[in-house]
Amino acid sequence: MVLLAVVRLADDAYGVPISKELLTLAGREVALGSIYAALDRLEQKGFVTSLLGDPTPERGGRAKRYVRVTPTGVRALKMTRTALMNLWSGIPVLEGRRS
Amino acid sequence: MNSNQSNPPRLAIWWLLHVCPGSHNDALTGDLIERFREGQTRGWFWGQVLIAFAVGVAREIRWHWPAFCYAAAGMEMPGLLSPVFRQSFLHWFRLWDSLAWWTPAVGLPEAICHGIEETLQILEFGSPHWTHFELLRLSTR
């Protein structure tokens, strides 16, 4: 979910917009600390890269950590989508048919 | 809005920057301050800091689990071994004494036992601190 939010936000992907995106689209209030932990894991796997922006006064003079998805990350997302679609298909109960 | 409402708790920021494990805590602090100034409460800020701390500690343990197991075992072992050592040494020296071979050096076995007991107590007392040091060392990697 975090990786998808990063892809959707494109150039504006940092902690605050990611958390808002997850709340709006998935209806989940995710703690910023958890988002950072997920981003660290994704960066370790090579799915995202991060760079620091300029410090701003409204953030107490602290920089934003912008993240961007890598080609490996996009590939991983596509593979996950394919795997999930395969798992969902052929289940009558989920497709609204009677078994 | 007064300064107390626009500024997040200073202790929480200090905790986040100096105690929470993690390599991007400065950016996380900035994000929390940004959200706080959008209208979140001080309680919310503290909650976020505590969650970040818990998540950071769990992540450090997961990444360095052999060192964590080593430190945890180091903390528990002296406590577990202390009664065994004490009983075995006392039993051995009492037997020795009853055979009356120990007359020239009466009191020495008890002194040795006492010394061993003291050493074990120092280890027992010191080990939690050592574990704490290990965790701190891991968190600052």
Side-chain angles (χ1 to χ4, degrees), chain A residues 5-70:
Chain A
V6 171
V7 174
R8 292 178 67 91
L9 289 163
D11 288 342
D12 194 38
Y14 69 95
V16 175
I18 293 171
S19 71
K20 286 178 179 173
E21 193 79 358
L22 290 174
L23 183 62
T24 309
L25 297 173
R28 278 192 181 188
E29 175 94 52
V30 183
L32 281 160
S34 304
I35 291 172
Y36 269 71
L39 289 175
D40 283 345
R41 279 200 304 276
L42 292 171
E43 196 167 16
Q44 211 181 20
K45 289 176 182 173
F47 294 168
V48 296
T49 53
S50 68
L51 65 136
L52 289 175
D54 294 324
T56 52
E58 67 269 17
R59 294 168 53 84
R62 287 176 172 86
K64 293 172 183 170
R65 180 192 175 197
Y66 287 104
V67 283
R68 188 168 288 181
V69 71
T70 62

Short mmCIF file of all heavy atoms in Angstrom, two decimals, chain A residues 5-70:
data_model
loop_
_atom_site.label_atom_id
_atom_site.label_comp_id
_atom_site.label_asym_id
_atom_site.label_seq_id
_atom_site.Cartn_x
_atom_site.Cartn_y
_atom_site.Cartn_z
N ALA A 5 1.05 4.15 -2.84
CA ALA A 5 0.85 5.57 -2.52
C ALA A 5 2.02 6.39 -3.06
O ALA A 5 1.82 7.50 -3.58
CB ALA A 5 0.72 5.75 -1.01
N VAL A 6 3.23 5.86 -2.95
CA VAL A 6 4.41 6.57 -3.47
C VAL A 6 4.30 6.75 -4.98
O VAL A 6 4.57 7.83 -5.51
CB VAL A 6 5.71 5.80 -3.10
CG1 VAL A 6 6.92 6.40 -3.81
CG2 VAL A 6 5.94 5.82 -1.60
N VAL A 7 3.85 5.71 -5.68
CA VAL A 7 3.70 5.79 -7.14
C VAL A 7 2.65 6.84 -7.49
O VAL A 7 2.84 7.66 -8.39
CB VAL A 7 3.30 4.41 -7.72
CG1 VAL A 7 3.01 4.52 -9.20
CG2 VAL A 7 4.40 3.41 -7.48
N ARG A 8 1.53 6.84 -6.76
CA ARG A 8 0.44 7.79 -7.06
C ARG A 8 0.87 9.23 -6.83
O ARG A 8 0.47 10.12 -7.56
CB ARG A 8 -0.77 7.48 -6.18
CG ARG A 8 -1.45 6.16 -6.50
CD ARG A 8 -2.60 5.93 -5.56
NE ARG A 8 -3.66 6.90 -5.78
CZ ARG A 8 -4.69 6.72 -6.60
NH1 ARG A 8 -4.80 5.59 -7.26
NH2 ARG A 8 -5.61 7.64 -6.74
N LEU A 9 1.68 9.46 -5.79
CA LEU A 9 2.06 10.84 -5.46
C LEU A 9 3.19 11.37 -6.34
O LEU A 9 3.43 12.58 -6.37
CB LEU A 9 2.48 10.91 -3.98
CG LEU A 9 1.34 10.74 -2.99
CD1 LEU A 9 1.86 10.41 -1.61
CD2 LEU A 9 0.50 12.01 -2.93
N ALA A 10 3.86 10.49 -7.01
CA ALA A 10 4.96 10.86 -7.93
C ALA A 10 6.00 11.77 -7.25
O ALA A 10 6.64 11.34 -6.31
CB ALA A 10 4.40 11.49 -9.19
N ASP A 11 6.10 13.04 -7.69
CA ASP A 11 7.18 13.91 -7.19
C ASP A 11 6.91 14.48 -5.79
O ASP A 11 7.80 15.08 -5.20
CB ASP A 11 7.40 15.08 -8.16
CG ASP A 11 8.06 14.61 -9.44
OD1 ASP A 11 8.64 13.51 -9.44
OD2 ASP A 11 7.97 15.34 -10.46
N ASP A 12 5.69 14.33 -5.29
CA ASP A 12 5.36 14.90 -3.98
C ASP A 12 5.26 13.82 -2.90
O ASP A 12 4.53 13.96 -1.94
CB ASP A 12 4.03 15.67 -4.08
CG ASP A 12 3.81 16.55 -2.86
OD1 ASP A 12 4.80 17.13 -2.37
OD2 ASP A 12 2.66 16.64 -2.38
N ALA A 13 6.01 12.74 -3.06
CA ALA A 13 5.89 11.63 -2.12
C ALA A 13 6.85 11.79 -0.94
O ALA A 13 8.05 11.59 -1.07
CB ALA A 13 6.16 10.31 -2.83
N TYR A 14 6.31 12.22 0.19
CA TYR A 14 7.05 12.20 1.47
C TYR A 14 6.06 11.85 2.57
O TYR A 14 4.87 11.67 2.29
CB TYR A 14 7.81 13.52 1.71
CG TYR A 14 6.97 14.72 2.00
CD1 TYR A 14 6.71 15.11 3.32
CD2 TYR A 14 6.44 15.50 0.98
CE1 TYR A 14 5.94 16.24 3.60
CE2 TYR A 14 5.67 16.62 1.26
CZ TYR A 14 5.42 16.98 2.57
OH TYR A 14 4.66 18.09 2.84
N GLY A 15 6.52 11.74 3.79
CA GLY A 15 5.71 11.21 4.89
C GLY A 15 4.27 11.69 4.98
O GLY A 15 3.33 10.87 4.97
N VAL A 16 4.08 13.02 5.05
CA VAL A 16 2.73 13.56 5.29
C VAL A 16 1.76 13.23 4.15
O VAL A 16 0.67 12.68 4.39
CB VAL A 16 2.80 15.09 5.55
CG1 VAL A 16 1.41 15.69 5.68
CG2 VAL A 16 3.60 15.38 6.80
N PRO A 17 2.10 13.53 2.86
CA PRO A 17 1.15 13.16 1.79
C PRO A 17 0.90 11.66 1.70
O PRO A 17 -0.22 11.25 1.39
CB PRO A 17 1.84 13.66 0.51
CG PRO A 17 2.84 14.64 0.95
CD PRO A 17 3.27 14.23 2.32
N ILE A 18 1.92 10.85 1.99
CA ILE A 18 1.72 9.39 1.94
C ILE A 18 0.66 8.99 2.97
O ILE A 18 -0.25 8.21 2.68
CB ILE A 18 3.05 8.64 2.17
CG1 ILE A 18 4.00 8.87 1.00
CG2 ILE A 18 2.80 7.14 2.33
CD1 ILE A 18 5.41 8.35 1.22
N SER A 19 0.79 9.54 4.20
CA SER A 19 -0.18 9.17 5.25
C SER A 19 -1.59 9.64 4.87
O SER A 19 -2.58 8.94 5.11
CB SER A 19 0.24 9.74 6.60
OG SER A 19 0.07 11.12 6.63
N LYS A 20 -1.69 10.83 4.25
CA LYS A 20 -3.00 11.34 3.84
C LYS A 20 -3.59 10.50 2.70
O LYS A 20 -4.80 10.26 2.65
CB LYS A 20 -2.88 12.81 3.41
CG LYS A 20 -2.69 13.75 4.59
CD LYS A 20 -2.53 15.17 4.14
CE LYS A 20 -2.37 16.11 5.34
NZ LYS A 20 -2.04 17.48 4.92
N GLU A 21 -2.72 10.07 1.80
CA GLU A 21 -3.17 9.24 0.68
C GLU A 21 -3.72 7.90 1.19
O GLU A 21 -4.76 7.42 0.71
CB GLU A 21 -1.97 8.99 -0.26
CG GLU A 21 -2.32 8.40 -1.61
CD GLU A 21 -2.86 9.44 -2.60
OE1 GLU A 21 -3.00 10.61 -2.22
OE2 GLU A 21 -3.14 9.05 -3.73
N LEU A 22 -3.04 7.34 2.17
CA LEU A 22 -3.49 6.06 2.74
C LEU A 22 -4.83 6.24 3.46
O LEU A 22 -5.70 5.38 3.39
CB LEU A 22 -2.44 5.50 3.70
CG LEU A 22 -1.15 5.00 3.06
CD1 LEU A 22 -0.14 4.60 4.12
CD2 LEU A 22 -1.42 3.80 2.14
N LEU A 23 -4.99 7.39 4.12
CA LEU A 23 -6.24 7.66 4.84
C LEU A 23 -7.39 7.87 3.85
O LEU A 23 -8.49 7.34 4.03
CB LEU A 23 -6.07 8.90 5.73
CG LEU A 23 -7.26 9.28 6.60
CD1 LEU A 23 -7.59 8.17 7.59
CD2 LEU A 23 -6.99 10.57 7.35
N THR A 24 -7.12 8.61 2.78
CA THR A 24 -8.18 8.93 1.80
C THR A 24 -8.58 7.69 0.99
O THR A 24 -9.77 7.40 0.84
CB THR A 24 -7.68 10.02 0.83
OG1 THR A 24 -7.15 11.11 1.59
CG2 THR A 24 -8.79 10.53 -0.06
N LEU A 25 -7.59 6.99 0.46
CA LEU A 25 -7.90 5.91 -0.47
C LEU A 25 -8.14 4.55 0.20
O LEU A 25 -8.92 3.76 -0.30
CB LEU A 25 -6.77 5.78 -1.50
CG LEU A 25 -6.58 7.01 -2.40
CD1 LEU A 25 -5.36 6.84 -3.26
CD2 LEU A 25 -7.81 7.23 -3.27
N ALA A 26 -7.45 4.31 1.29
CA ALA A 26 -7.61 3.01 1.95
C ALA A 26 -8.41 3.10 3.25
O ALA A 26 -8.75 2.07 3.83
CB ALA A 26 -6.24 2.41 2.23
N GLY A 27 -8.68 4.34 3.70
CA GLY A 27 -9.45 4.51 4.94
C GLY A 27 -8.68 4.09 6.17
O GLY A 27 -9.26 3.71 7.18
N ARG A 28 -7.35 4.16 6.08
CA ARG A 28 -6.53 3.72 7.21
C ARG A 28 -5.66 4.86 7.73
O ARG A 28 -4.96 5.49 6.94
CB ARG A 28 -5.58 2.60 6.78
CG ARG A 28 -6.21 1.26 6.77
CD ARG A 28 -5.13 0.24 6.62
NE ARG A 28 -5.65 -1.10 6.58
CZ ARG A 28 -4.90 -2.17 6.61
NH1 ARG A 28 -3.60 -2.05 6.66
NH2 ARG A 28 -5.43 -3.37 6.57
N GLU A 29 -5.72 5.09 9.05
CA GLU A 29 -4.84 6.07 9.68
C GLU A 29 -3.55 5.33 10.07
O GLU A 29 -3.53 4.55 11.01
CB GLU A 29 -5.52 6.65 10.93
CG GLU A 29 -4.65 7.58 11.73
CD GLU A 29 -4.84 9.05 11.36
OE1 GLU A 29 -5.99 9.49 11.36
OE2 GLU A 29 -3.81 9.70 11.08
N VAL A 30 -2.52 5.54 9.29
CA VAL A 30 -1.24 4.85 9.56
C VAL A 30 -0.27 5.83 10.21
O VAL A 30 -0.11 6.96 9.72
CB VAL A 30 -0.63 4.29 8.25
CG1 VAL A 30 0.64 3.51 8.53
CG2 VAL A 30 -1.64 3.41 7.53
N ALA A 31 0.35 5.40 11.30
CA ALA A 31 1.30 6.28 12.01
C ALA A 31 2.50 6.59 11.12
O ALA A 31 2.95 5.73 10.35
CB ALA A 31 1.77 5.60 13.29
N LEU A 32 3.00 7.82 11.24
CA LEU A 32 4.13 8.22 10.40
C LEU A 32 5.36 7.36 10.66
O LEU A 32 6.13 7.05 9.75
CB LEU A 32 4.45 9.70 10.64
CG LEU A 32 3.51 10.66 9.90
CD1 LEU A 32 3.54 12.04 10.53
CD2 LEU A 32 3.88 10.75 8.43
N GLY A 33 5.55 6.95 11.91
CA GLY A 33 6.68 6.08 12.24
C GLY A 33 6.61 4.74 11.50
O GLY A 33 7.63 4.21 11.04
N SER A 34 5.39 4.22 11.36
CA SER A 34 5.20 2.96 10.63
C SER A 34 5.48 3.16 9.14
O SER A 34 6.04 2.28 8.49
CB SER A 34 3.77 2.44 10.81
OG SER A 34 3.49 2.31 12.17
N ILE A 35 5.07 4.33 8.61
CA ILE A 35 5.33 4.62 7.19
C ILE A 35 6.84 4.69 6.95
O ILE A 35 7.35 4.14 5.97
CB ILE A 35 4.63 5.93 6.77
CG1 ILE A 35 3.12 5.72 6.76
CG2 ILE A 35 5.13 6.40 5.40
CD1 ILE A 35 2.31 6.97 6.55
N TYR A 36 7.56 5.34 7.87
CA TYR A 36 9.02 5.44 7.72
C TYR A 36 9.68 4.07 7.80
O TYR A 36 10.64 3.80 7.07
CB TYR A 36 9.60 6.39 8.77
CG TYR A 36 9.66 7.82 8.27
CD1 TYR A 36 8.49 8.55 8.11
CD2 TYR A 36 10.86 8.42 7.94
CE1 TYR A 36 8.51 9.85 7.63
CE2 TYR A 36 10.90 9.72 7.46
CZ TYR A 36 9.72 10.43 7.31
OH TYR A 36 9.76 11.71 6.82
N ALA A 37 9.17 3.23 8.69
CA ALA A 37 9.74 1.87 8.80
C ALA A 37 9.51 1.10 7.50
O ALA A 37 10.40 0.40 7.01
CB ALA A 37 9.10 1.14 9.97
N ALA A 38 8.30 1.25 6.92
CA ALA A 38 7.99 0.58 5.65
C ALA A 38 8.89 1.12 4.54
O ALA A 38 9.40 0.35 3.71
CB ALA A 38 6.52 0.78 5.31
N LEU A 39 9.09 2.44 4.52
CA LEU A 39 9.95 3.04 3.48
C LEU A 39 11.39 2.55 3.61
O LEU A 39 12.07 2.31 2.61
CB LEU A 39 9.90 4.57 3.58
CG LEU A 39 8.59 5.22 3.14
CD1 LEU A 39 8.63 6.72 3.40
CD2 LEU A 39 8.30 4.95 1.66
N ASP A 40 11.86 2.39 4.87
CA ASP A 40 13.23 1.86 5.08
C ASP A 40 13.36 0.46 4.50
O ASP A 40 14.36 0.13 3.86
CB ASP A 40 13.56 1.82 6.59
CG ASP A 40 13.90 3.20 7.12
OD1 ASP A 40 14.16 4.10 6.31
OD2 ASP A 40 13.90 3.37 8.36
N ARG A 41 12.33 -0.37 4.74
CA ARG A 41 12.35 -1.75 4.21
C ARG A 41 12.33 -1.73 2.68
O ARG A 41 13.07 -2.48 2.03
CB ARG A 41 11.15 -2.54 4.74
CG ARG A 41 11.35 -3.09 6.12
CD ARG A 41 10.39 -4.25 6.40
NE ARG A 41 8.98 -3.89 6.22
CZ ARG A 41 8.23 -3.30 7.14
NH1 ARG A 41 8.74 -3.01 8.30
NH2 ARG A 41 6.97 -3.01 6.90
N LEU A 42 11.48 -0.88 2.12
CA LEU A 42 11.38 -0.79 0.65
C LEU A 42 12.69 -0.29 0.04
O LEU A 42 13.11 -0.76 -1.01
CB LEU A 42 10.22 0.13 0.25
CG LEU A 42 8.82 -0.36 0.57
CD1 LEU A 42 7.79 0.73 0.33
CD2 LEU A 42 8.47 -1.59 -0.28
N GLU A 43 13.33 0.63 0.74
CA GLU A 43 14.61 1.15 0.25
C GLU A 43 15.70 0.08 0.32
O GLU A 43 16.53 -0.04 -0.58
CB GLU A 43 15.02 2.38 1.07
CG GLU A 43 16.11 3.19 0.39
CD GLU A 43 16.32 4.56 1.01
OE1 GLU A 43 15.85 4.80 2.14
OE2 GLU A 43 16.95 5.40 0.34
N GLN A 44 15.65 -0.70 1.38
CA GLN A 44 16.61 -1.79 1.54
C GLN A 44 16.46 -2.83 0.42
O GLN A 44 17.44 -3.39 -0.06
CB GLN A 44 16.39 -2.45 2.89
CG GLN A 44 17.66 -3.01 3.49
CD GLN A 44 17.40 -3.69 4.82
OE1 GLN A 44 16.28 -4.07 5.15
NE2 GLN A 44 18.44 -3.85 5.60
N LYS A 45 15.22 -3.04 0.00
CA LYS A 45 14.96 -4.00 -1.08
C LYS A 45 15.22 -3.40 -2.46
O LYS A 45 15.12 -4.11 -3.47
CB LYS A 45 13.51 -4.50 -1.01
CG LYS A 45 13.23 -5.41 0.17
CD LYS A 45 11.76 -5.78 0.21
CE LYS A 45 11.45 -6.65 1.41
NZ LYS A 45 10.01 -6.89 1.56
N GLY A 46 15.46 -2.10 -2.50
CA GLY A 46 15.73 -1.44 -3.78
C GLY A 46 14.48 -1.05 -4.54
O GLY A 46 14.55 -0.76 -5.73
N PHE A 47 13.34 -1.00 -3.86
CA PHE A 47 12.07 -0.64 -4.51
C PHE A 47 11.86 0.87 -4.58
O PHE A 47 11.10 1.35 -5.41
CB PHE A 47 10.88 -1.29 -3.81
CG PHE A 47 10.84 -2.79 -3.90
CD1 PHE A 47 9.97 -3.54 -3.12
CD2 PHE A 47 11.68 -3.48 -4.78
CE1 PHE A 47 9.94 -4.92 -3.21
CE2 PHE A 47 11.66 -4.86 -4.86
CZ PHE A 47 10.79 -5.59 -4.08
N VAL A 48 12.49 1.61 -3.67
CA VAL A 48 12.41 3.07 -3.69
C VAL A 48 13.79 3.67 -3.41
O VAL A 48 14.67 2.99 -2.88
CB VAL A 48 11.40 3.64 -2.64
CG1 VAL A 48 9.99 3.21 -2.90
CG2 VAL A 48 11.83 3.29 -1.23
N THR A 49 13.94 4.93 -3.83
CA THR A 49 15.13 5.69 -3.43
C THR A 49 14.65 6.94 -2.71
O THR A 49 13.52 7.38 -2.93
CB THR A 49 15.96 6.14 -4.66
OG1 THR A 49 15.11 6.83 -5.56
CG2 THR A 49 16.60 4.97 -5.36
N SER A 50 15.47 7.48 -1.84
CA SER A 50 15.04 8.69 -1.12
C SER A 50 16.12 9.76 -1.19
O SER A 50 17.31 9.46 -1.32
CB SER A 50 14.73 8.35 0.34
OG SER A 50 15.88 8.01 1.04
N LEU A 51 15.64 11.00 -1.16
CA LEU A 51 16.57 12.13 -1.08
C LEU A 51 15.95 13.23 -0.23
O LEU A 51 14.72 13.33 -0.14
CB LEU A 51 16.93 12.66 -2.48
CG LEU A 51 15.80 13.29 -3.28
CD1 LEU A 51 16.28 14.57 -3.93
CD2 LEU A 51 15.34 12.32 -4.34
N LEU A 52 16.82 14.01 0.41
CA LEU A 52 16.32 15.05 1.31
C LEU A 52 16.10 16.35 0.54
O LEU A 52 16.95 16.74 -0.27
CB LEU A 52 17.31 15.27 2.45
CG LEU A 52 17.40 14.15 3.50
CD1 LEU A 52 18.50 14.46 4.49
CD2 LEU A 52 16.08 13.93 4.21
N GLY A 53 14.95 17.00 0.82
CA GLY A 53 14.67 18.31 0.22
C GLY A 53 15.25 19.42 1.08
O GLY A 53 16.07 19.17 1.97
N ASP A 54 14.81 20.65 0.79
CA ASP A 54 15.31 21.79 1.56
C ASP A 54 14.53 21.92 2.87
O ASP A 54 13.33 21.65 2.91
CB ASP A 54 15.15 23.09 0.75
CG ASP A 54 16.05 23.07 -0.48
OD1 ASP A 54 17.16 22.52 -0.37
OD2 ASP A 54 15.62 23.57 -1.53
N PRO A 55 15.20 22.37 3.93
CA PRO A 55 14.49 22.60 5.21
C PRO A 55 13.50 23.76 5.07
O PRO A 55 13.78 24.73 4.37
CB PRO A 55 15.61 22.98 6.18
CG PRO A 55 16.87 22.60 5.52
CD PRO A 55 16.64 22.66 4.05
N THR A 56 12.34 23.61 5.70
CA THR A 56 11.32 24.68 5.63
C THR A 56 10.91 25.10 7.05
O THR A 56 10.89 24.26 7.95
CB THR A 56 10.06 24.21 4.87
OG1 THR A 56 9.62 22.97 5.44
CG2 THR A 56 10.34 23.99 3.40
N PRO A 57 10.57 26.39 7.23
CA PRO A 57 10.25 26.87 8.59
C PRO A 57 9.00 26.22 9.20
O PRO A 57 8.95 26.00 10.41
CB PRO A 57 10.05 28.38 8.42
CG PRO A 57 10.14 28.68 6.98
CD PRO A 57 10.56 27.47 6.24
N GLU A 58 8.00 25.90 8.36
CA GLU A 58 6.76 25.30 8.92
C GLU A 58 6.99 23.89 9.45
O GLU A 58 6.15 23.33 10.13
CB GLU A 58 5.61 25.31 7.89
CG GLU A 58 5.79 24.43 6.68
CD GLU A 58 6.45 25.16 5.51
OE1 GLU A 58 7.05 26.22 5.72
OE2 GLU A 58 6.35 24.63 4.39
N ARG A 59 8.14 23.34 9.12
CA ARG A 59 8.51 22.00 9.63
C ARG A 59 9.58 22.11 10.71
O ARG A 59 10.30 21.15 10.97
CB ARG A 59 9.03 21.13 8.50
CG ARG A 59 7.99 20.80 7.44
CD ARG A 59 8.63 20.19 6.22
NE ARG A 59 9.48 19.04 6.53
CZ ARG A 59 9.02 17.81 6.67
NH1 ARG A 59 7.74 17.57 6.52
NH2 ARG A 59 9.83 16.82 6.95
N GLY A 60 9.70 23.28 11.31
CA GLY A 60 10.70 23.49 12.35
C GLY A 60 12.12 23.45 11.79
O GLY A 60 13.06 23.04 12.48
N GLY A 61 12.27 23.85 10.52
CA GLY A 61 13.59 23.89 9.89
C GLY A 61 14.12 22.52 9.51
O GLY A 61 15.34 22.33 9.41
N ARG A 62 13.21 21.58 9.32
CA ARG A 62 13.66 20.21 8.99
C ARG A 62 13.29 19.85 7.55
O ARG A 62 12.23 20.24 7.05
CB ARG A 62 13.08 19.21 9.97
CG ARG A 62 13.77 19.32 11.30
CD ARG A 62 13.20 18.45 12.35
NE ARG A 62 14.05 18.51 13.52
CZ ARG A 62 13.96 19.43 14.48
NH1 ARG A 62 13.03 20.36 14.39
NH2 ARG A 62 14.77 19.41 15.51
N ALA A 63 14.17 19.09 6.93
CA ALA A 63 14.00 18.75 5.52
C ALA A 63 12.95 17.64 5.33
O ALA A 63 12.70 16.86 6.25
CB ALA A 63 15.33 18.30 4.94
N LYS A 64 12.38 17.61 4.12
CA LYS A 64 11.47 16.52 3.76
C LYS A 64 12.29 15.38 3.15
O LYS A 64 13.26 15.64 2.45
CB LYS A 64 10.45 16.99 2.72
CG LYS A 64 9.47 18.02 3.24
CD LYS A 64 8.63 18.58 2.11
CE LYS A 64 7.70 19.66 2.60
NZ LYS A 64 7.03 20.40 1.53
N ARG A 65 11.85 14.17 3.44
CA ARG A 65 12.51 13.02 2.82
C ARG A 65 11.62 12.55 1.66
O ARG A 65 10.62 11.85 1.85
CB ARG A 65 12.67 11.89 3.85
CG ARG A 65 13.34 10.66 3.30
CD ARG A 65 13.21 9.51 4.27
NE ARG A 65 13.73 8.26 3.74
CZ ARG A 65 13.45 7.07 4.24
NH1 ARG A 65 12.66 6.97 5.30
NH2 ARG A 65 13.94 5.98 3.71
N TYR A 66 12.00 12.94 0.45
CA TYR A 66 11.22 12.55 -0.73
C TYR A 66 11.61 11.14 -1.16
O TYR A 66 12.79 10.79 -1.16
CB TYR A 66 11.48 13.52 -1.88
CG TYR A 66 10.86 14.88 -1.70
CD1 TYR A 66 11.63 15.97 -1.32
CD2 TYR A 66 9.49 15.06 -1.90
CE1 TYR A 66 11.05 17.22 -1.15
CE2 TYR A 66 8.91 16.32 -1.73
CZ TYR A 66 9.70 17.39 -1.35
OH TYR A 66 9.13 18.61 -1.18
N VAL A 67 10.61 10.36 -1.53
CA VAL A 67 10.90 9.00 -2.02
C VAL A 67 10.36 8.85 -3.44
O VAL A 67 9.36 9.47 -3.81
CB VAL A 67 10.29 7.90 -1.11
CG1 VAL A 67 11.10 7.70 0.13
CG2 VAL A 67 8.86 8.19 -0.77
N ARG A 68 11.04 8.05 -4.19
CA ARG A 68 10.64 7.82 -5.57
C ARG A 68 10.77 6.32 -5.85
O ARG A 68 11.73 5.69 -5.42
CB ARG A 68 11.55 8.61 -6.50
CG ARG A 68 11.11 8.60 -7.94
CD ARG A 68 11.86 9.62 -8.73
NE ARG A 68 11.43 10.98 -8.41
CZ ARG A 68 11.93 12.07 -8.99
NH1 ARG A 68 12.86 11.98 -9.88
NH2 ARG A 68 11.48 13.27 -8.66
N VAL A 69 9.80 5.79 -6.57
CA VAL A 69 9.83 4.35 -6.86
C VAL A 69 10.83 4.06 -7.98
O VAL A 69 10.99 4.86 -8.92
CB VAL A 69 8.40 3.85 -7.20
CG1 VAL A 69 7.94 4.36 -8.55
CG2 VAL A 69 8.32 2.35 -7.14
N THR A 70 11.54 2.95 -7.85
CA THR A 70 12.54 2.55 -8.85
C THR A 70 11.91 1.59 -9.87
O THR A 70 10.81 1.07 -9.63
CB THR A 70 13.71 1.82 -8.17
OG1 THR A 70 13.19 0.64 -7.55
CG2 THR A 70 14.39 2.70 -7.13
#
